[in-house]
Amino acid sequence: MIPYYHQGNKLTFSNRIKLIKPSSTMALTSKANEMRQNGEDVIVLTVGEPDFDTPEYIKNAAKDAIDAGLTKYTSVDGTPELKKAIIEKFKRENNLSYQPDEIIVSAGCKQSIFNMLQVLIDEGDEVLIPEPYWVSYADMVVYAGGSPIMLHTSYEENFDINMSELETKISNNTKLLMINSPNNPSGKYFDSNTLESVSDILQRYHENIYISSDDIYEHIHWHQEEFHNIVNVCPDLKERTIVLNGVSKAYSMTGWRIGYAAGSADIIKKMKTLQSQSTSCASSISQAAACAALTFECKELPQMKAQYKKRHDFVVSQLNQIEGVLCKETDGTFYVFPSFKEYITNSDLSDDNDLAMKLLNEAKVAVVPGSAFGMDGHVRLSIAVDIKSLEDAMTRIKSVLS
Ligand code: GLU
């Protein structure tokens, strides 16, 4: 006999999972790839994934790891070798000093961000996020029980953070400020002056607010100022800042899934507890590959960066030729984030979602609508594809929109 509480049609999901939606970057990329599999000639400018092969010395390190039998679980927080390479990377490239218990390796920077939010955020906590923001930030905050509080920026004001808005949006419930620079999707780099103003506010009255610094596009950066994060600008904030990074973007290693976080030992220990109860550890083979990536000189890196810049210059100039479209030069990343506001207003399209659908169906070019990043009227185009595909994409977009 079935107990009464197991009778009836009551197979349900958690309330938590109902609060979030699939990642737009991932969903739109699957849709575009599906169209390609069905024989449609779609140019995919959705996902931010370098088109270059992973450099040979990194692939060889993975092959060596397999041959050496490094195919078992590693420590939850990463192999000692990789953690050492990360610590040295921080010293060499960022002038930051960390101890091994202040570092954790995860399955991608995305998992480090997710774990950090699960460790820091409670129901009712508020998380400040400048717009536009990477698609997953807001949903990850919601999934952790928190409320994302957006800091409005605009194309017209160069995506700058408004410091008085930051001050007014800080409340007793504010727990964390999430910074991503260079920013996905706008390509904006928050320079030292901006970070100093943010630090001033946080230091003056707000001792209990954490900061996360997502530096994943650190190496794809062409702003005149050398890359700085908020800890470089204000070392006093180090204790409450979690620096997030990974090898996916710089070393063309998206599928290897290696990211890492650096922060105070207390936070890292809690992130380790969570990871021990979820994924156990990142792939042992990928960790060996990431260790090589960070330890040896990557000659391909400046070449890849030069290619991104060349593609950026081309795409920006092409988009600016379309009436009603404005495209700013970025400071880095492999995205451009043009404003189509005027174009949309003068057309029969209702918004950026409509525009993205039109580009997909008529131009066969897949892009991500700006509203997925919290900014209507824009679309994000990834330029991490070869120049020939970008030339074709621009020809198609111009012909459909003119
Ligand atoms: N971060 C990349 C993007 O924004 C990869 C996809 C994702 O995880 O969102 O396209």
Side-chain angles (χ1 to χ4, degrees):
M1 173 139 158
I2 305 172
Y4 76 92
Y5 49 82
H6 283 165
Q7 289 171 10
N9 186 14
K10 282 202 179 144
L11 290 170
T12 58
F13 297 112
S14 70
N15 289 330
R16 230 173 29 260
I17 194 64
K18 293 180 205 150
L19 297 175
I20 61 169
K21 55 192 181 312
S23 152
S24 306
T25 48
M26 301 313 269
L28 285 162
T29 304
S30 312
K31 183 172 161 59
N33 284 334
E34 218 172 87
M35 288 171 74
R36 284 177 79 149
Q37 273 152 20
N38 292 334
E40 291 189 62
D41 172 25
V42 178
I43 302 173
V44 184
L45 306 184
T46 46
V47 73
E49 171 160 71
D51 55 315
F52 303 106
D53 196 8
T54 303
E56 213 54 36
Y57 77 98
I58 300 175
K59 293 199 288 188
N60 286 338
K63 291 177 198 161
D64 291 347
I66 296 174
D67 291 340
L70 300 178
T71 54
K72 312 284 190 213
Y73 293 127
T74 71
S75 305
V76 170
D77 50 344
T79 62
E81 295 77 17
L82 177 54
K83 290 180 60 166
K84 185 165 172 269
I86 293 168
I87 288 169
E88 277 164 15
K89 175 254 180 271
F90 274 122
K91 257 193 219 125
R92 187 178 65 239
E93 295 180 353
N94 309 103
N95 196 24
L96 294 176
S97 155
Y98 289 103
Q99 298 302 312
D101 61 354
E102 295 175 315
I103 303 286
I104 185 166
V105 176
S106 305
C109 186
K110 203 167 185 171
Q111 193 193 19
S112 279
I113 300 171
F114 184 86
N115 288 352
M116 170 194 74
L117 289 166
Q118 292 294 326
V119 162
L120 298 184
I121 303 304
D122 265 329
E123 292 284 328
D125 284 344
E126 294 177 355
V127 178
L128 295 168
I129 307 176
E131 287 171 343
Y133 48 83
W134 175 48
V135 277
S136 296
Y137 275 7
D139 283 80
M140 284 188 191
V141 169
V142 168
Y143 197 72
S147 306
I149 305 292
M150 303 314 175
L151 301 175
H152 301 300
T153 75
S154 68
Y155 179 94
E156 294 71 24
E157 285 171 27
N158 202 21
F159 303 115
D160 280 326
I161 298 174
N162 178 326
M163 297 303 155
S164 7
E165 192 198 3
L166 172 61
E167 290 210 50
T168 41
K169 290 226 166 134
I170 292 178
S171 77
N172 288 339
N173 296 326
T174 307
K175 191 72 181 278
L176 170 71
L177 165 69
M178 297 181 83
I179 300 172
N180 168 219
S181 169
N183 173 272
N184 173 6
S186 69
K188 164 94 180 167
Y189 167 69
F190 295 112
D191 65 10
S192 297
N193 287 338
T194 306
L195 294 177
E196 242 165 59
S197 308
V198 171
S199 309
D200 272 359
I201 294 172
L202 293 176
Q203 275 197 302
R204 244 181 302 137
Y205 336 94
H206 306 289
E207 294 170 356
N208 301 324
I209 300 176
Y210 289 102
I211 304 116
S212 64
S213 177
D214 177 349
D215 300 354
I216 191 83
Y217 295 99
E218 164 192 20
H219 285 295
I220 308 162
H221 168 266
W222 40 76
H223 188 277
Q224 65 208 26
E225 181 184 286
E226 202 186 309
F227 176 82
H228 284 82
N229 66 23
I230 194 157
V231 187
N232 298 131
V233 171
C234 182
D236 287 350
L237 289 177
K238 183 165 179 244
E239 201 46 34
R240 48 176 164 139
T241 302
I242 301 94
V243 177
L244 303 147
N245 210 327
V247 293
S248 294
K249 312 293 185 187
Y251 301 95
S252 198
M253 291 178 71
T254 47
W256 299 76
R257 308 310 302 128
I258 297 292
Y260 50 90
S264 78
D266 297 350
I267 299 173
I268 297 299
K269 191 170 164 197
K270 295 280 187 265
M271 288 170 69
K272 186 172 168 184
T273 303
L274 179 61
Q275 202 157 284
S276 78
Q277 296 287 18
S278 52
T279 48
S280 297
C281 62
S283 148
S284 57
I285 300 153
S286 298
Q287 289 192 60
C291 187
L294 295 177
T295 305
F296 304 108
E297 189 194 349
C298 181
K299 297 199 179 69
E300 292 82 351
L301 209 156
Q303 293 159 14
M304 293 193 273
K305 183 174 146 184
Q307 287 298 318
Y308 295 136
K309 179 67 170 71
K310 211 167 130 194
R311 297 167 183 182
H312 157 275
D313 293 350
F314 169 71
V315 170
V316 169
S317 75
Q318 291 289 303
L319 288 168
N320 279 320
Q321 287 170 19
I322 307 172
E323 215 178 312
V325 179
L326 292 171
C327 188
K328 238 181 240 313
E329 295 199 356
T330 70
D331 302 321
T333 75
F334 36 61
Y335 309 107
V336 293
F337 195 58
S339 165
F340 281 78
K341 280 183 223 155
E342 196 184 321
Y343 183 88
I344 292 170
T345 309
N346 297 330
S347 71
D348 54 359
L349 300 168
S350 36
D351 55 24
D352 52 311
N353 290 301
D354 259 12
L355 173 69
M357 285 319 291
K358 183 180 171 78
L359 293 178
L360 182 59
N361 294 327
E362 295 174 29
K364 303 281 180 229
V365 177
V367 299
V368 187
S371 43
F373 308 93
M375 200 167 267
D376 300 349
H378 289 248
V379 296
R380 188 191 79 173
L381 292 84
S382 165
I383 52 167
V385 294
D386 62 277
I387 192 84
K388 172 77 180 63
S389 302
L390 288 174
E391 281 166 6
D392 291 348
M394 290 304 120
T395 308
R396 291 184 193 187
I397 292 177
K398 280 159 77 180
S399 112
V400 163
L401 298 188
S402 58

